[in-house]
Amino acid sequence: KEGAIMMNISEKQFEQDIETYLTAEGGYTKGNPSAFNRETALDTNTFITFIKTSQPTKWESYTKIYGLDSEKEIISRFCHAVRLSGLLHVLRKGFTDRGITFRAVFWKPETSLNETATALYNANILHCTRQLHYSVHNENSIDIVLFVNGIPVITMELKCQFTGQDALNAVEQYKFDRASDDAIFSFRERVFAHFAVDLTRVYMTTKLEGSKTYFLPFNQGSNGAGNVGGAGNPINPDGYDTDYLWKNVLRKDMLLEILQKYLHFDGKNQRMIFPRYHQLDAVTKLLSDVKEHGSGKNYLIQHSAGSGKSNSIAWLAHRLSGLHDFGDKKIFHSVIVVTDRKILDEQLRDTVYQFDHAAGVVVKVDRDSQQLRQAIEDKIPIIVTTLQKFPVIFKEVNSGRRRFAVIVDEAHSSQTGDAAMKLKYALADKEEILKEYAEIEGAEEEKRTEEEDRLLNDLAAQGTHENLSFFAF
């Protein structure tokens, strides 16, 4: 291998370099492996310190109830809540005992206007802990574990090709040497994602099931994220080929954002969905560009089969609905998802519900254009509508009074099952988009109403719209 690693290094050095970056620039402090309680799978002292310092008034009320047993009781109550609802739910909604609700983490606020929310976010304690002995049965250790307020959320097993092993050996280690009955590996209750990492490749899983454990590649692609290429990662002349993992994904702000806004439990299939690198990269780039330029631009996202498009759309819709510009101004009043796939509608609602339990966040328009009009007037954050109502959107949103993001799912013919046109050349020609969608849905030219024809003509004449952004998959 040329260019990337110019000297022999050991796994220990690899491990030290990751820790050095995360503690110097990634927002972590160095963790103490001996502080880990193997029975509860928590760094209990850190957890209690976070509760006391970030929520002192609540803690004072709690100690009046439990007295000297307060620390033991709050750990017990936290573990009980996690067993009932899952760690992800507890992180997002908190846990309650005797009418007092505690937060186990504070998320970064959408704007900088609330100084209290920013201070609470800064109260989070993130640890990078090396060589964590985790088991009550043996002295096995994990190379690196990342903690949020004393709760283990990420593990990494590291391998170095110079010592004759690579990431696939780490995969085997996870499958056969990491006992799922140890508390730290309890699915939905502790660690969310496990990474097998070497100097050139990364693999990831969210559920350890022995020999049945399935690891997904977590690589950028041979020519870098978003570029056509093969498997793997590009050569990094300035460091490790895999350093994007700890520099881009696992740094404090991004990891907490993933836990808050991306991680998703699929109850139907009993899976924890952690975004794959290309999904995280695509959504992050879209949000960054919209944040900088505001509404009025169009975007095309090209994807392959099995790339997780439905989750990408769900994440993008949710993130766009709450996105603010650098002046703390909300960019879009509503996000409209145009699709004819029932499964996406269900997945979207299920995913967003985990982020925001408020009623009416996602509304499905399944009756008539009046329902669509009402949803827009009611400023519903995320509206899911069908391809047939696509022309109506322009009639309702072209006024310029409010700003809308329109996510266009790749259409599928309900009769033939064939994929629809790709949209990659048509984004600038909205009349063509509408015509092709009409053809796909069987609404041929002669069957279109005069009103639809008028809308098409009006749309073609108006050109681009400053209050409207397209995101076409």
Side-chain angles (χ1 to χ4, degrees), residues 428-447:
D429 188 342
K430 297 183 179 69
E431 182 176 17
E432 279 301 309
I433 292 177
L434 297 186
K435 285 181 179 178
E436 294 201 40
Y437 270 125
E439 291 170 5
I440 291 164
E441 290 303 302
E444 299 180 11
E445 184 73 25
E446 62 272 16
K447 295 181 182 178

Side-chain angles (χ1 to χ4, degrees), residues 283-300:
V283 174
T284 300
K285 285 176 177 174
L286 289 168
L287 295 172
S288 176
D289 197 80
V290 173
K291 190 175 181 71
E292 180 178 355
H293 299 289
S295 62
K297 290 184 68 177
N298 295 329
Y299 305 86
L300 174 71

Side-chain angles (χ1 to χ4, degrees), residues 38-205:
R38 303 187 195 189
E39 287 80 13
T40 62
L42 292 172
D43 177 343
T44 52
N45 288 337
T46 299
F47 181 83
I48 291 168
T49 297
F50 166 75
I51 294 290
K52 289 179 178 179
T53 56
S54 65
Q55 300 152 87
T57 303
K58 291 182 177 182
W59 178 251
E60 184 180 356
S61 299
Y62 199 75
T63 57
K64 290 178 180 178
I65 298 172
Y66 287 109
L68 296 176
D69 291 329
S70 297
E71 294 186 0
K72 181 183 71 173
E73 289 296 333
I74 199 167
I75 293 294
S76 175
R77 186 60 194 176
F78 169 80
C79 292
H80 177 70
V82 167
R83 283 193 297 272
L84 285 180
S85 305
L87 178 58
L88 187 59
H89 183 272
V90 171
L91 289 182
R92 289 177 177 163
K93 304 301 175 183
F95 62 102
T96 301
D97 189 14
R98 299 292 186 93
I100 304 173
T101 299
F102 290 99
R103 299 301 301 266
V105 63
F106 286 100
W107 308 118
K108 190 172 186 178
E110 290 282 2
T111 74
S112 59
L113 299 176
N114 190 328
E115 294 182 1
T116 301
T118 300
L120 288 171
Y121 175 74
N122 292 331
N124 290 315
I125 305 168
L126 275 73
H127 281 153
C128 173
T129 304
R130 292 172 53 200
Q131 293 303 316
L132 182 81
H133 296 276
Y134 58 85
S135 180
V136 296
H137 307 294
N138 54 54
E139 290 302 308
N140 287 350
S141 65
I142 306 171
D143 290 335
I144 290 181
V145 180
L146 303 183
F147 289 81
V148 174
N149 300 325
I151 307 163
V153 293
I154 299 290
T155 73
M156 285 188 277
E157 289 291 354
L158 310 176
K159 300 298 176 185
C160 177
Q161 283 90 331
F162 291 119
T163 62
Q165 291 193 316
D166 59 20
L168 294 180
N169 294 103
V171 167
E172 293 299 297
Q173 192 172 14
Y174 270 122
K175 286 184 176 181
F176 301 109
D177 296 338
R178 300 292 174 248
S180 58
D181 59 346
D182 284 304
I184 194 171
F185 299 129
S186 296
F187 180 61
R188 295 190 66 203
E189 295 184 21
R190 288 297 183 269
V191 173
F192 291 117
H194 309 275
F195 290 91
V197 189
D198 65 26
L199 306 180
T200 62
R201 297 287 190 275
V202 180
Y203 298 89
M204 181 270 295
T205 189

